[in-house]
Amino acid sequence: MDGAFLIKPEIFPDARGEFLEVFSEPAFREAVGHPLRVAQVNCSRSRRGTIRGIHAFSLPPGQSRYITCPHGEILDIVVDIRVGSPTFGEWEAVRLGDGNRHGLYLAEGQAHAFAPLTEEATVVYLVSSTYAPHKEILVDPLDPELALPWPPESERLLSTKDRGAPSLREARERGVLPRYADCRARHEELCGEADALAGRHA
């Protein structure tokens, strides 16, 4: 899905345990086209039955996220909420956890939600802008039209704001979703800044 990248780092195990690069700036820049600006690092711990999301942030400036799960395992679902995108309303589900050590990068405008697949899971994510409540976009993670493949739990633990979030259709009708053209323009802007910086250092 345009604007989403699955990161599969090389893992080096030995008798002591294992080592890996959770994030590599050169590899990231080569794949995405610009560096990752980190304004804040978030950490959450969730127990089984929890669903966090669907969340995104409006542009400008939006918020990109680089997500890892260092303890436990989660199902992370990327949802394309960008109006005008060829994949609007589609989703992709990936497993992130301490078994595969995969990461997930989401560009500005992409939304996601996640749920633990283990009794507990810790999620760490690097974000490109600090939290701004007035910029946050919420979509109901239990939206029946999206029909996201959440694990079958006996209870659903959602925040009050997520329980009250609109469906994707309602959010689009309210005009709160990001436009695909704006997201692509932001990407080109970041790539242009990176090229200009590289030129000054050449």
Side-chain angles (χ1 to χ4, degrees):
M1 189 180 292
D2 174 36
F5 294 80
L6 182 64
I7 298 95
K8 299 181 179 180
E10 186 175 1
I11 301 172
F12 301 92
D14 62 23
R16 301 165 297 171
E18 64 183 29
F19 173 85
L20 69 147
E21 294 179 353
V22 174
F23 173 76
S24 167
E25 177 67 38
F28 179 88
R29 184 193 297 256
E30 181 179 352
V32 178
H34 61 78
L36 176 64
R37 297 177 175 179
V38 179
Q40 187 170 299
V41 179
N42 300 328
C43 178
S44 68
R45 184 166 58 90
S46 306
R47 66 184 182 91
R48 190 187 290 275
T50 297
I51 297 176
R52 295 183 185 265
I54 303 167
H55 298 160
F57 286 84
S58 60
L59 284 77
Q63 186 183 86
S64 63
R65 283 147 289 167
Y66 190 101
I67 305 149
T68 62
C69 179
H71 174 71
E73 185 179 30
I74 63 169
L75 182 71
D76 200 305
I77 305 178
V78 184
V79 183
D80 192 346
I81 64 167
R82 302 166 300 174
V83 177
S85 167
T87 54
F88 176 79
E90 296 182 16
W91 52 265
E92 292 282 349
V94 296
R95 288 174 176 247
L96 309 177
D98 56 18
N100 61 26
R101 300 297 186 189
H102 290 174
L104 180 66
Y105 171 71
L106 304 176
E108 289 83 355
Q110 286 280 21
H112 84 121
F114 67 86
L117 296 171
T118 47
E119 289 306 311
E120 227 178 49
T122 298
V123 175
V124 174
Y125 38 112
L126 288 61
V127 297
S128 65
S129 62
T130 55
Y131 179 65
H134 64 288
K135 290 282 189 177
E136 192 169 28
I137 298 170
L138 306 174
V139 174
D140 181 4
L142 303 178
D143 181 347
E145 288 191 47
L146 286 174
L148 302 181
W150 297 119
E153 305 293 354
S154 58
E155 64 173 331
R156 297 289 189 197
L157 303 174
L158 279 74
S159 68
T160 301
K161 67 179 183 180
D162 286 341
R163 285 200 179 277
S167 68
L168 184 63
R169 182 187 299 272
E170 291 168 338
R172 182 174 187 173
E173 291 171 351
R174 294 178 188 179
V176 299
L177 300 180
R179 296 191 315 125
Y180 181 65
D182 294 337
C183 297
R184 293 300 305 162
R186 178 58 177 158
H187 174 75
E188 295 302 324
E189 178 186 10
L190 291 171
C191 289
E193 291 174 2
D195 291 342
L197 184 60
R200 288 199 297 271
H201 291 167

